Each structure stands twice: as structure tokens, then as C-alpha cells.
Amino acid sequence: MPTASPPVRNGFYTSADLSPEDSVGYLMRKVLSSIRTQADGQLATHDLTYAQWLPLYKISRCKDTTVASLARDLETDPASMTRALDRLEAKNLVLRERSTTDRRVVQLALTADGQKVAAQVPAVLSDVLNGHLSDFTPEEWKTLLGLLRRMLANGEALRQNAARQP
């Protein structure tokens, strides 16, 4: 049975000529920052920041969300997530309910007001993302999605290989 050949490693960057203007990571971070800033501007009418509207939106999209799973999904530490949830709870947008079977587990749910606010996030994000993609063709958009998914898959493969190393 033939064995899979190792992935080809391209040398697009070297330490001698790496510059932010041509760094994929830097550019992706700048794009994400721009998206966040634009979305924050539109969601400011609801007195929400990125650190608040993102968990609110995520809770609206997932059933059985816990504080720990939300922190993992949003790649933030539990203490920061707790502070954001404190603010959302003070605004009467989120409820925390301790599990009756495991006191360590705290389930999250949206209040009626939270559901109303969370329902507005997709329209804002669609508007902001479409603005950032305004001069892309549908084919370019699909290509971009495919390339980003490939980068994520490559990163996951690197993570798995590193986890297997002694």
C-alpha cells in the first residue's frame, strides 16, 4: 500500500526579508481589526463592544452553551469571558444558570432582550463583510474562502504533528 508523501513546504518567507506589508498573518489581522471596528461602530447603538456582541451572537447560534465552551470557542480566557458575561448580564441580555447535576457547569441563555439584540448582529456582520468584499467577484470570494480554509487545514495539520512529537 503506497504511503502518503509529506506535504510540500514552500519557502515564501525568510527571516531576512519578512516584512509586515507582505505577511499573510499581519494582513489577516489588519482585515479582522477593520471588520471589528466597523461592526463595533454599527453595534454601538446597542451599547455593545466586540467583546460583548460576539459572545451574545455565539450564544444565539448554539444550544447548550456553557461559560467554558464559549471561552474555548472564542479563544479567550475564562476570566475575560466571565467579565464580558457580567456586563451582558447587567444589561439584561444574558442569563447564567448553574447546572443541577454539576455545580461547576454554568449554562448560558439569552433573555428576550438578548435575543432581539443578537438577531441584529448577522445583518451588521453581513453589511460589514460585504463592504470589505465590495469589489470582489463571486469567483474571487469563493477562491478566498477556499484559500483561507486551506490555511486553517494546514495549521491544524501542524498542530496535530506538534502534538505527536515527544
Side-chain angles (χ1 to χ4, degrees):
M1 179 168 173
T3 60
S5 58
V8 175
R9 289 267 170 113
N10 293 314
F12 296 113
Y13 297 102
T14 67
S15 59
D17 64 6
L18 181 64
S19 67
E21 301 80 27
D22 295 323
S23 166
V24 172
Y26 174 81
L27 292 170
M28 287 192 299
R29 182 176 170 91
K30 294 294 281 184
V31 169
L32 184 56
S33 177
S34 179
I35 290 168
R36 256 196 319 250
T37 300
Q38 295 297 315
D40 274 356
Q42 291 189 37
L43 291 165
T45 59
H46 300 289
D47 191 31
L48 291 176
T49 64
Y50 172 76
Q52 295 168 357
W53 63 256
L54 187 58
L56 190 73
Y57 176 63
K58 187 78 170 170
I59 294 166
S60 75
R61 305 289 286 186
C62 301
K63 293 185 190 306
D64 301 324
T65 304
T66 66
V67 175
S69 67
L70 188 60
R72 267 191 314 275
D73 287 349
L74 299 181
E75 297 178 350
T76 188
D77 65 283
S80 295
M81 183 55 56
T82 296
R83 285 190 298 276
L85 292 169
D86 287 344
R87 291 181 191 102
L88 291 169
E89 196 170 36
K91 293 176 183 184
N92 193 37
L93 301 174
V94 171
L95 295 171
R96 288 185 252 203
E97 300 167 348
R98 192 158 299 279
S99 170
T100 56
T101 58
D102 186 346
R103 294 190 62 223
R104 297 169 297 175
V105 176
V106 178
Q107 295 286 342
L108 301 169
L110 297 180
T111 65
D113 288 344
Q115 290 172 358
K116 288 177 193 171
V117 173
Q120 296 184 34
V121 174
V124 169
L125 291 178
S126 294
D127 182 54
V128 169
L129 290 171
N130 285 333
H132 281 79
L133 296 164
S134 64
D135 63 347
F136 283 55
T137 66
E139 293 77 22
E140 289 172 327
W141 171 69
K142 288 177 185 174
T143 298
L144 177 62
L145 290 177
L147 294 172
L148 291 171
R149 287 182 179 121
R150 242 168 74 200
M151 285 185 74
L152 285 172
N154 289 343
E156 178 59 20
L158 289 171
R159 186 194 66 73
Q160 289 179 0
N161 286 338
R164 282 187 231 130
Q165 300 300 319

